[in-house]
Amino acid sequence: MTVRQAPAKGATRAKWTDKAVYAAGAVVWRVIDGKLRILLIHRTKYRDITLPKGKVDPGEMLAETAVREVHEETGIRVSLGVPVGVSRYHLPSNKQKVVHYWAAEATDEAVRASTFVPNREIAALEWVSVKKARARLSYPVDLEILDFFANLVDDGVLRTFPVVALRHAKALPRSEWDGADAARPLTERGRRQADSIVGPLRAFGVRKIVTSDAVRCVQTVKPLAKALDRKPVKTEKISQDAWEDGTDDLRSVIGRRVRAGKPAVICSHGPVLPGILSEIALATGTMQGSYISSAADLEPGAFSVVHLSASHPGSGIIAIETHVPQV
């Protein structure tokens, strides 16, 4: 996964090595009586106070790990917001542990639905102010994550929604297809990629699905649509054929998604993605830079999550992160 802060605050790339242990978690927050509170966990075995997190399971992508671990440790189901940093430290085994964190709002409904009870792993949960969290957290690496989170609060951009730009999964090459280009289907690997991105996309709370009407795009979002029980909106306005003919209308599609202010995924084609990312920047008043081009340079099945302010979408892109399927 690559995380890019916008408009140009640099990039942090996760270095995947056999010597590292990867994990993911979240700074879970809510507003109680008009006051911001974040969730700390008191761990039974280690007798410490930390943020909810856990190791990546085989086949998982980091975003779904974060959501799963928060739920397992707290009973609260969340959707991920803005990335808030990566902590690195060495384990007793001398392996490096790398933990990716996101901000994640806990809705009142999600908190009420929690069935948490103290157990062998987690002794207690505690909602505290950011100031109290600084005093209670046991580890300096957690404080670094908290400081990044606090900057979002100070900037007034904590509550966000994602617009996800998704490149269709691996399709049959043109050289192996005799029919119309728009009818090219996914390969077996492409179908596995389409299945593998369902969990990560759901982790960001995606509910709306907009896709090019090309078969390879429709097949890419089919597993997600089934999991969400949602019907995708198919449109030629973001298709490669329309883009090549000069008849595309990316602006209207992107503008509608930004105005809606709801989590959405837009599935299109490699050549079209730079235009889609550019239109998101234009629609939100964001200065364009190399990070926009990088976010559009996606492998088949990969996607970039563009985080926008829920209260002021025109205030610019808050962050962009890119995820690549491991199949």
Side-chain angles (χ1 to χ4, degrees):
M1 181 191 77
T2 303
V3 176
R4 302 177 183 87
Q5 293 307 121
K9 297 181 183 177
T12 303
R13 181 176 294 275
K15 296 180 179 178
W16 296 86
T17 72
D18 293 336
K19 296 181 180 179
V21 174
Y22 285 86
V27 180
V28 181
W29 62 276
R30 63 189 293 214
V31 176
I32 304 174
D33 296 328
K35 296 180 180 180
L36 179 69
R37 296 290 183 263
I38 66 170
L39 184 62
L40 304 182
I41 61 171
H42 295 242
R43 296 196 296 182
T44 307
K45 178 180 178 181
Y46 300 100
R47 296 179 179 271
D48 60 8
I49 301 175
T50 185
L51 302 168
K53 65 179 183 300
K55 291 189 292 186
V56 175
D57 279 349
E60 271 187 335
M61 292 171 68
L62 287 162
E64 55 189 323
T65 299
V67 169
R68 176 183 57 75
E69 285 290 342
V70 168
H71 181 252
E72 288 181 0
E73 293 190 340
T74 72
I76 299 171
R77 294 190 182 278
V78 297
S79 295
L80 302 181
V82 177
V84 291
V86 182
S87 68
R88 293 177 172 85
Y89 54 94
H90 283 90
L91 299 169
S93 64
N94 208 34
K95 284 188 176 182
Q96 186 183 48
K97 188 166 186 177
V98 182
V99 190
H100 289 253
Y101 287 95
W102 286 262
E105 182 178 8
T107 64
D108 290 341
E109 182 182 7
V111 173
R112 286 194 297 267
S114 172
T115 57
F116 172 82
V117 291
N119 54 71
R120 291 182 178 180
E121 283 193 40
I122 311 299
L125 305 179
E126 184 179 19
W127 292 98
V128 300
S129 66
V130 172
K131 182 178 179 179
K132 285 187 177 179
R134 283 199 177 97
R136 293 179 191 264
L137 284 167
S138 299
Y139 305 107
V141 289
D142 286 349
L143 292 174
E144 294 174 6
I145 300 300
L146 184 63
D147 286 343
F148 197 110
F149 174 86
N151 288 336
L152 294 174
V153 177
D154 293 341
D155 291 343
V157 292
L158 181 57
R159 184 172 277 121
T160 59
F161 71 94
V163 176
V164 182
L166 167 66
R167 183 177 177 181
H168 66 75
K170 183 67 175 176
L172 200 66
R174 291 192 184 195
S175 59
E176 299 178 19
W177 180 251
D178 293 330
D181 182 65
R184 275 194 295 133
L186 296 183
T187 62
E188 179 57 36
R189 182 187 176 197
R191 288 191 288 272
R192 292 198 304 271
Q193 289 174 334
D195 287 334
S196 74
I197 60 177
V198 171
L201 289 171
R202 295 189 72 179
F204 290 101
V206 166
R207 301 293 293 166
K208 185 76 173 182
I209 305 170
V210 181
T211 180
S212 159
D213 57 358
V215 168
R216 54 193 181 277
C217 288
V218 174
Q219 289 182 339
T220 297
V221 300
K222 184 177 180 179
L224 176 65
K226 182 178 180 180
L228 296 177
D229 193 22
R230 294 268 174 149
K231 187 175 181 179
V233 176
K234 304 175 190 176
T235 174
E236 62 181 9
K237 294 179 180 180
I238 58 172
S239 70
Q240 186 164 339
D241 283 349
W243 178 81
E244 290 176 351
D245 294 341
T247 58
D248 62 276
D249 189 3
L250 308 184
R251 182 156 298 178
S252 68
V253 174
I254 298 303
R256 186 171 183 177
R257 299 277 50 87
V258 172
R259 289 192 301 273
K262 300 291 179 65
V265 60
I266 301 170
C267 183
S268 189
H269 311 259
V272 186
L273 289 170
I276 288 175
L277 269 295
S278 179
E279 288 296 338
I280 295 176
L282 288 169
T284 56
T286 305
M287 290 182 61
Q288 300 212 32
S290 60
Y291 69 97
I292 293 289
S293 299
S294 297
D297 186 17
L298 298 175
E299 300 175 18
F303 59 90
S304 286
V305 184
V306 184
H307 297 274
L308 306 176
S309 169
S311 53
H312 304 288
S315 62
I317 294 171
I318 309 305
I320 303 178
E321 54 183 302
T322 297
H323 297 257
V324 181
Q326 301 300 306
V327 295

Coordinates of all heavy atoms in Angstrom, one line a residue, residues 123-178:
A123 N -8.7 -6.3 28.5 CA -9.3 -6.2 29.9 C -10.4 -5.1 29.9 O -11.4 -5.3 30.7 CB -8.3 -5.9 30.9
A124 N -10.2 -4.1 29.1 CA -11.2 -3.0 29.2 C -11.1 -2.1 28.0 O -10.0 -2.0 27.3 CB -11.0 -2.2 30.5
L125 N -12.1 -1.3 27.7 CA -12.1 -0.3 26.7 C -12.3 1.1 27.4 O -13.0 1.1 28.4 CB -13.2 -0.5 25.7 CG -13.3 -1.8 25.0 CD1 -14.5 -1.9 24.0 CD2 -12.0 -2.1 24.2
E126 N -11.8 2.1 26.8 CA -11.9 3.4 27.5 C -11.9 4.5 26.4 O -11.1 4.6 25.5 CB -10.7 3.7 28.4 CG -10.7 4.9 29.2 CD -9.5 5.1 30.1 OE1 -8.5 4.5 29.9 OE2 -9.6 5.9 31.0
W127 N -13.0 5.4 26.5 CA -13.1 6.5 25.7 C -12.6 7.7 26.4 O -13.0 8.1 27.5 CB -14.6 6.8 25.3 CG -15.2 5.7 24.4 CD1 -16.0 4.7 24.8 CD2 -15.1 5.6 23.0 NE1 -16.3 3.9 23.7 CE2 -15.8 4.5 22.6 CE3 -14.4 6.4 22.0 CZ2 -15.9 4.1 21.2 CZ3 -14.5 6.0 20.7 CH2 -15.2 4.9 20.3
V128 N -11.6 8.4 25.8 CA -10.9 9.5 26.5 C -10.7 10.7 25.5 O -10.7 10.5 24.2 CB -9.6 9.1 27.1 CG1 -9.7 8.0 28.1 CG2 -8.6 8.6 26.0
S129 N -10.3 11.8 26.0 CA -10.0 12.9 25.1 C -8.6 12.7 24.5 O -7.8 11.8 25.0 CB -9.9 14.2 26.0 OG -8.9 14.2 26.9
V130 N -8.2 13.5 23.5 CA -6.9 13.3 22.9 C -5.8 13.6 24.0 O -4.8 13.0 24.1 CB -6.7 14.3 21.7 CG1 -5.3 14.3 21.2 CG2 -7.7 13.8 20.6
K131 N -6.1 14.6 24.8 CA -5.1 15.0 25.9 C -4.9 13.9 26.8 O -3.8 13.5 27.2 CB -5.6 16.2 26.6 CG -4.6 16.7 27.7 CD -5.2 18.0 28.3 CE -4.2 18.5 29.4 NZ -4.7 19.7 30.1
K132 N -6.0 13.2 27.3 CA -5.8 12.1 28.2 C -5.2 10.9 27.5 O -4.4 10.2 28.2 CB -7.2 11.7 28.8 CG -7.7 12.7 29.8 CD -9.0 12.2 30.5 CE -9.4 13.1 31.6 NZ -10.7 12.7 32.2
A133 N -5.5 10.7 26.2 CA -4.9 9.6 25.5 C -3.3 9.7 25.5 O -2.6 8.8 25.7 CB -5.4 9.5 24.1
R134 N -2.9 11.0 25.3 CA -1.4 11.2 25.3 C -0.8 10.8 26.7 O 0.3 10.3 26.7 CB -1.1 12.7 25.1 CG -1.2 13.1 23.6 CD -0.5 14.4 23.4 NE -0.6 14.8 22.0 CZ -1.5 15.6 21.5 NH1 -2.4 16.2 22.3 NH2 -1.5 15.9 20.2
A135 N -1.5 11.0 27.7 CA -1.0 10.6 29.1 C -1.1 9.2 29.3 O -0.3 8.6 30.1 CB -1.7 11.4 30.1
R136 N -2.1 8.5 28.7 CA -2.3 7.1 29.1 C -1.6 6.1 28.2 O -1.3 5.0 28.6 CB -3.8 6.8 29.1 CG -4.6 7.5 30.1 CD -6.1 7.2 30.0 NE -6.9 8.1 30.9 CZ -7.3 7.8 32.1 NH1 -7.0 6.6 32.6 NH2 -8.0 8.6 32.8
L137 N -1.4 6.4 26.9 CA -0.8 5.4 26.0 C 0.6 5.0 26.5 O 1.4 5.8 26.9 CB -0.7 6.0 24.6 CG -2.0 6.1 23.8 CD1 -1.9 7.0 22.6 CD2 -2.5 4.7 23.4
S138 N 0.8 3.7 26.3 CA 2.0 3.1 26.9 C 3.3 3.3 26.0 O 4.4 3.1 26.5 CB 1.8 1.6 27.1 OG 0.7 1.4 28.1
Y139 N 3.1 3.5 24.7 CA 4.2 3.4 23.8 C 4.4 4.7 23.0 O 3.4 5.3 22.5 CB 4.1 2.2 22.8 CG 3.9 0.9 23.6 CD1 2.6 0.3 23.6 CD2 4.9 0.3 24.3 CE1 2.4 -0.9 24.3 CE2 4.7 -0.8 24.9 CZ 3.5 -1.4 24.9 OH 3.3 -2.6 25.6
P140 N 5.7 5.2 22.8 CA 5.9 6.4 22.0 C 5.4 6.3 20.6 O 5.0 7.3 20.0 CB 7.5 6.5 22.1 CG 7.8 5.8 23.4 CD 6.9 4.7 23.5
V141 N 5.5 5.1 20.0 CA 5.0 4.9 18.6 C 3.5 5.2 18.5 O 3.1 5.7 17.4 CB 5.4 3.5 18.0 CG1 6.8 3.4 17.8 CG2 4.8 2.4 18.9
D142 N 2.8 4.9 19.5 CA 1.3 5.2 19.5 C 1.1 6.7 19.6 O 0.2 7.3 19.0 CB 0.6 4.5 20.6 CG 0.5 3.0 20.4 OD1 0.7 2.6 19.3 OD2 0.1 2.3 21.3
L143 N 2.0 7.4 20.3 CA 1.9 8.9 20.5 C 2.1 9.6 19.1 O 1.5 10.6 18.8 CB 2.8 9.4 21.5 CG 2.6 9.0 23.0 CD1 3.7 9.4 23.9 CD2 1.2 9.5 23.4
E144 N 3.0 9.0 18.3 CA 3.3 9.6 17.0 C 2.0 9.5 16.1 O 1.7 10.4 15.4 CB 4.4 8.9 16.3 CG 5.8 9.1 17.0 CD 6.9 8.2 16.4 OE1 6.6 7.6 15.4 OE2 8.0 8.2 17.0
I145 N 1.3 8.4 16.2 CA 0.1 8.2 15.4 C -1.0 9.2 15.9 O -1.7 9.8 15.2 CB -0.4 6.7 15.5 CG1 0.6 5.7 15.0 CG2 -1.8 6.6 14.8 CD1 1.0 5.9 13.5
L146 N -1.0 9.3 17.3 CA -2.0 10.2 17.9 C -1.8 11.6 17.4 O -2.7 12.4 17.2 CB -2.0 10.1 19.4 CG -3.0 10.9 20.2 CD1 -4.4 10.4 19.8 CD2 -2.8 10.8 21.7
D147 N -0.5 12.0 17.4 CA -0.2 13.4 16.9 C -0.6 13.7 15.5 O -1.2 14.8 15.2 CB 1.3 13.6 17.0 CG 1.8 13.8 18.5 OD1 1.0 14.0 19.4 OD2 3.0 13.6 18.7
F148 N -0.5 12.7 14.6 CA -0.9 12.9 13.2 C -2.5 13.0 13.2 O -3.0 13.8 12.5 CB -0.5 11.6 12.4 CG -0.6 11.9 10.9 CD1 0.6 12.0 10.2 CD2 -1.8 12.0 10.3 CE1 0.5 12.2 8.8 CE2 -1.9 12.2 8.9 CZ -0.7 12.3 8.2
F149 N -3.1 12.2 14.0 CA -4.6 12.2 14.1 C -5.0 13.6 14.6 O -6.0 14.2 14.1 CB -5.1 11.1 15.1 CG -6.5 11.2 15.4 CD1 -7.4 10.5 14.6 CD2 -7.0 11.8 16.6 CE1 -8.8 10.6 14.9 CE2 -8.3 11.9 16.9 CZ -9.2 11.2 16.0
A150 N -4.3 14.1 15.7 CA -4.7 15.4 16.2 C -4.5 16.5 15.2 O -5.3 17.5 15.3 CB -3.8 15.7 17.5
N151 N -3.6 16.4 14.3 CA -3.4 17.4 13.3 C -4.7 17.5 12.4 O -5.1 18.5 11.9 CB -2.2 17.1 12.4 CG -0.9 17.4 13.1 OD1 -0.9 18.2 14.1 ND2 0.2 16.7 12.7
L152 N -5.2 16.3 12.1 CA -6.5 16.3 11.3 C -7.6 17.0 12.0 O -8.4 17.7 11.4 CB -6.9 14.8 11.0 CG -6.0 14.0 10.1 CD1 -6.5 12.6 10.0 CD2 -5.9 14.6 8.7
V153 N -7.7 16.8 13.3 CA -8.7 17.4 14.1 C -8.5 18.9 14.1 O -9.4 19.7 13.9 CB -8.6 16.9 15.6 CG1 -9.6 17.6 16.5 CG2 -8.8 15.4 15.7
D154 N -7.2 19.4 14.3 CA -7.0 20.8 14.3 C -7.3 21.4 13.0 O -7.7 22.6 12.9 CB -5.5 21.0 14.6 CG -5.1 20.7 16.1 OD1 -6.1 20.6 16.9 OD2 -4.0 20.4 16.4
D155 N -7.1 20.7 11.9 CA -7.3 21.2 10.5 C -8.8 21.1 10.1 O -9.2 21.6 9.1 CB -6.5 20.4 9.5 CG -5.0 20.7 9.6 OD1 -4.6 21.7 10.2 OD2 -4.2 19.9 9.1
G156 N -9.6 20.5 11.0 CA -11.0 20.4 10.7 C -11.4 19.4 9.6 O -12.4 19.6 8.9
V157 N -10.6 18.4 9.4 CA -10.8 17.5 8.2 C -10.8 16.0 8.7 O -10.5 15.1 8.0 CB -9.7 17.7 7.1 CG1 -9.8 19.0 6.5 CG2 -8.3 17.5 7.7
L158 N -11.3 15.8 9.9 CA -11.3 14.5 10.4 C -12.4 13.6 9.8 O -12.2 12.5 9.4 CB -11.5 14.5 12.0 CG -11.6 13.2 12.7 CD1 -10.3 12.4 12.4 CD2 -11.8 13.4 14.2
R159 N -13.6 14.2 9.6 CA -14.7 13.5 9.0 C -14.6 13.6 7.5 O -14.7 14.6 7.0 CB -16.1 14.0 9.5 CG -17.2 13.2 9.0 CD -18.6 13.6 9.7 NE -18.7 12.9 11.0 CZ -18.9 13.5 12.1 NH1 -18.9 14.9 12.2 NH2 -19.1 12.9 13.3
T160 N -14.4 12.4 6.9 CA -14.2 12.4 5.4 C -15.1 11.3 4.8 O -15.7 10.5 5.4 CB -12.7 12.1 5.1 OG1 -12.4 10.8 5.7 CG2 -11.8 13.2 5.6
F161 N -15.1 11.4 3.4 CA -15.7 10.3 2.7 C -14.8 9.9 1.5 O -14.0 10.8 1.0 CB -17.1 10.6 2.2 CG -17.1 11.7 1.1 CD1 -17.1 11.3 -0.3 CD2 -17.1 13.0 1.4 CE1 -17.2 12.3 -1.3 CE2 -17.1 14.0 0.4 CZ -17.2 13.6 -0.9
P162 N -14.7 8.7 1.1 CA -13.8 8.3 0.0 C -14.5 8.2 -1.4 O -15.6 7.8 -1.5 CB -13.4 6.9 0.4 CG -14.6 6.3 1.1 CD -15.3 7.5 1.7
V163 N -13.7 8.6 -2.4 CA -14.1 8.3 -3.8 C -12.9 7.4 -4.3 O -11.8 7.9 -4.2 CB -14.2 9.6 -4.6 CG1 -14.4 9.2 -6.1 CG2 -15.3 10.5 -4.1
V164 N -13.3 6.2 -4.6 CA -12.2 5.2 -5.0 C -12.1 5.1 -6.5 O -13.1 4.8 -7.2 CB -12.6 3.9 -4.3 CG1 -11.4 2.9 -4.7 CG2 -12.7 4.0 -2.8
A165 N -10.9 5.3 -7.0 CA -10.7 5.0 -8.5 C -10.1 3.6 -8.6 O -9.0 3.4 -8.1 CB -9.7 6.1 -9.0
L166 N -10.8 2.8 -9.3 CA -10.4 1.4 -9.4 C -10.1 1.0 -10.9 O -11.0 1.3 -11.8 CB -11.6 0.5 -8.9 CG -11.5 -1.0 -9.2 CD1 -10.4 -1.7 -8.5 CD2 -12.9 -1.7 -8.8
R167 N -9.0 0.4 -11.1 CA -8.7 -0.1 -12.5 C -9.3 -1.5 -12.6 O -9.1 -2.3 -11.6 CB -7.2 -0.1 -12.8 CG -6.9 -0.6 -14.2 CD -5.4 -0.5 -14.5 NE -5.2 -1.0 -15.9 CZ -4.0 -1.1 -16.4 NH1 -2.9 -0.7 -15.7 NH2 -3.8 -1.6 -17.6
H168 N -9.9 -1.8 -13.7 CA -10.5 -3.2 -13.8 C -9.4 -4.2 -13.6 O -8.2 -4.0 -13.9 CB -11.1 -3.3 -15.2 CG -10.2 -3.3 -16.3 ND1 -9.3 -4.3 -16.7 CD2 -10.0 -2.3 -17.3 CE1 -8.6 -3.9 -17.8 NE2 -9.0 -2.7 -18.1
A169 N -9.8 -5.4 -13.2 CA -8.8 -6.5 -13.0 C -8.3 -7.0 -14.4 O -8.7 -6.6 -15.4 CB -9.5 -7.6 -12.2
K170 N -7.4 -8.0 -14.2 CA -6.6 -8.5 -15.4 C -7.6 -9.0 -16.5 O -8.4 -10.0 -16.2 CB -5.7 -9.6 -15.0 CG -4.8 -10.1 -16.1 CD -3.9 -9.1 -16.7 CE -2.9 -9.7 -17.7 NZ -2.1 -8.7 -18.4
A171 N -7.6 -8.5 -17.7 CA -8.5 -8.9 -18.7 C -7.7 -9.7 -19.8 O -6.5 -9.6 -19.9 CB -9.2 -7.7 -19.4
L172 N -8.4 -10.4 -20.6 CA -7.8 -11.2 -21.7 C -7.2 -10.1 -22.7 O -7.8 -9.1 -23.0 CB -8.9 -11.9 -22.5 CG -8.5 -13.1 -23.4 CD1 -7.9 -14.2 -22.5 CD2 -9.7 -13.6 -24.2
P173 N -5.9 -10.4 -23.1 CA -5.2 -9.4 -24.0 C -6.0 -9.3 -25.3 O -6.7 -10.2 -25.8 CB -3.9 -10.1 -24.2 CG -3.7 -11.0 -23.1 CD -5.1 -11.5 -22.8
R174 N -5.8 -8.1 -25.9 CA -6.5 -7.8 -27.2 C -6.1 -8.8 -28.2 O -6.8 -9.2 -29.1 CB -6.2 -6.4 -27.7 CG -6.8 -5.3 -26.8 CD -6.7 -4.0 -27.5 NE -7.2 -2.9 -26.7 CZ -7.4 -1.7 -27.2 NH1 -7.2 -1.4 -28.4 NH2 -7.9 -0.7 -26.3
S175 N -4.8 -9.3 -28.2 CA -4.3 -10.2 -29.2 C -4.9 -11.5 -29.1 O -4.8 -12.3 -30.1 CB -2.7 -10.3 -29.0 OG -2.5 -10.8 -27.7
E176 N -5.6 -11.8 -28.0 CA -6.2 -13.1 -27.8 C -7.7 -13.0 -27.9 O -8.5 -14.0 -27.5 CB -5.8 -13.8 -26.5 CG -4.3 -14.0 -26.4 CD -3.9 -14.6 -25.0 OE1 -4.8 -15.1 -24.3 OE2 -2.7 -14.5 -24.6
W177 N -8.2 -11.9 -28.4 CA -9.7 -11.7 -28.4 C -10.1 -11.2 -29.8 O -9.5 -10.2 -30.3 CB -10.1 -10.6 -27.4 CG -11.5 -10.3 -27.3 CD1 -12.1 -9.2 -27.6 CD2 -12.6 -11.2 -26.8 NE1 -13.5 -9.3 -27.4 CE2 -13.8 -10.5 -26.9 CE3 -12.6 -12.5 -26.3 CZ2 -15.0 -11.0 -26.5 CZ3 -13.8 -13.1 -25.9 CH2 -15.0 -12.3 -26.0
D178 N -11.1 -11.8 -30.4 CA -11.5 -11.5 -31.7 C -12.7 -10.5 -31.8 O -13.0 -10.0 -32.8 CB -11.9 -12.8 -32.5 CG -10.7 -13.7 -32.8 OD1 -9.6 -13.1 -32.9 OD2 -10.8 -14.9 -32.9

